[in-house]
Amino acid sequence: MEKRIDAWLSKLGYATRKDARRFLKYNELTVNNERIINPSLKAKHEDMLLNNEPLDPKSILILMNKPDRTICSHKDDGALIYNLLPHRWINRNPKISTIGRLDADTTGAILISDDGELNHKLTSPRSNISKIYEVTLADPLKGDEADIFASGELILRNEDKPCLPAKLTIIDDKKVHLEIFEGKYHQVKRMFAALGNKVEKLHRLSFAGLSVEDLEEGEYKFIKKDEIKF
Ligand code: URA
């Protein structure tokens, strides 16, 4: 679809419409090999090169291996997860945001997107999306945890509905993998707290079938929508 170049630059976060002329003066934007300096000309996204590189994608969908001590919120002043991305992405319209949240001290799989509909679909309480966590516990397992989590009868503090059945795989007496299909506030920590244990370390191995095993902490990769397991 053809759009004014200043509209593209502003939508993708490179420059505001007001600053587009200046941006084009100091950056080389070409359309079919012809340098453009007039921001009101129209072009297709796929026909433009910026300093010899394709423009950022029209829509963002990435999987990140979230590092420890980073925050999944635009509102905080701390070490935001968004600071690990190209700075211009913060100025994109529509805005990017994480799909759901992980606690500051939880690491692992998190999707970041500007697709509001997808975000809603993956975070709605009825979505039944698989999330697999590696959990390191303060105290050894007692032995009844897998059955209690699988029962669908565990009620967390301050909740009236029980958790959906969850699958526990034991790695050793203080390390487990837990697969859940919902996303209540601090859910994994509260599930173990309900059984008198404490989560020392929490790492999300996968979200909706997307694993971060090939990503270092802080690394991310682009994902196609059809890679998501709904
Ligand atoms: N459960 C938690 O307790 N914390 C997270 O970050 C994710 C799931």
Side-chain angles (χ1 to χ4, degrees):
M1 193 229 296
E2 276 204 339
K3 238 196 237 276
R4 280 175 61 124
I5 287 169
D6 53 4
W8 280 121
L9 293 176
S10 137
K11 175 182 163 46
L12 302 176
Y14 289 100
T16 60
R17 288 185 85 144
K18 196 162 149 255
D19 288 337
R21 190 170 293 277
R22 202 173 108 84
F23 181 87
L24 293 176
K25 195 166 154 183
Y26 293 106
N27 292 274
E28 191 184 77
L29 187 132
T30 57
V31 176
N32 301 325
N33 285 327
E34 194 186 325
R35 170 117 195 234
I36 304 289
I37 50 159
N38 178 357
S40 61
L41 293 179
K42 289 189 170 177
K44 287 188 187 151
H45 180 271
E46 61 270 28
D47 291 342
M48 289 183 277
L49 286 180
L50 180 61
N51 303 320
N52 283 320
E53 303 277 347
L55 292 180
D56 290 338
K58 283 189 253 187
S59 184
I60 299 274
L61 175 58
I62 57 168
L63 174 71
M64 183 186 275
N65 184 355
K66 176 190 171 296
D68 193 11
R69 297 277 137 220
T70 50
I71 299 160
C72 296
S73 159
H74 283 289
K75 292 201 181 102
D76 213 284
D77 293 328
L80 305 187
I81 194 168
Y82 303 104
N83 297 344
L84 300 167
L85 303 172
H87 183 68
R88 60 183 177 274
W89 288 11
I90 299 298
N91 300 319
R92 287 177 64 106
N93 184 14
K95 204 170 156 137
I96 54 165
S97 62
T98 58
I99 297 189
R101 289 194 184 171
L102 290 175
D103 299 337
D105 60 358
T106 302
T107 57
I110 185 105
L111 286 175
I112 300 174
S113 174
D114 57 1
D115 184 335
E117 200 179 312
L118 178 71
N119 197 327
H120 180 73
K121 219 164 139 185
L122 290 170
T123 52
S124 97
R126 287 169 301 283
S127 65
N128 271 41
I129 295 296
S130 156
K131 294 144 197 169
I132 304 180
Y133 293 88
E134 180 166 270
V135 190
T136 309
L137 296 163
D139 298 315
L141 293 166
K142 292 175 192 148
D144 54 359
E145 292 86 350
D147 287 344
I148 296 175
F149 290 161
S151 71
E153 286 171 8
L154 178 69
I155 298 182
L156 302 179
R157 223 174 142 177
N158 302 324
E159 303 270 342
D160 41 17
K161 279 203 195 116
C163 293
L164 293 176
K167 189 176 163 206
L168 190 79
T169 307
I170 297 171
I171 311 296
D172 64 37
D173 68 348
K174 285 191 183 178
K175 191 175 272 192
V176 296
H177 289 177
L178 179 65
E179 182 175 25
I180 60 174
F181 299 89
E182 55 192 335
K184 296 185 201 290
Y185 183 64
H186 292 328
Q187 178 156 349
V188 176
K189 291 174 185 166
R190 289 164 72 211
M191 284 173 77
F192 282 98
L195 304 188
N197 209 328
K198 187 169 182 283
V199 172
E200 294 264 272
K201 214 164 146 223
L202 192 55
H203 175 72
R204 187 151 73 183
L205 296 163
S206 70
F207 178 90
L210 299 163
S211 152
V212 287
E213 68 184 353
D214 56 338
L215 297 172
E216 298 288 331
E217 280 198 11
E219 264 189 341
Y220 61 88
K221 63 180 178 186
F222 283 90
I223 294 290
K224 295 205 177 67
K225 249 193 217 179
D226 63 10
E227 292 176 69
I228 298 175
K229 286 215 181 74
F230 287 99

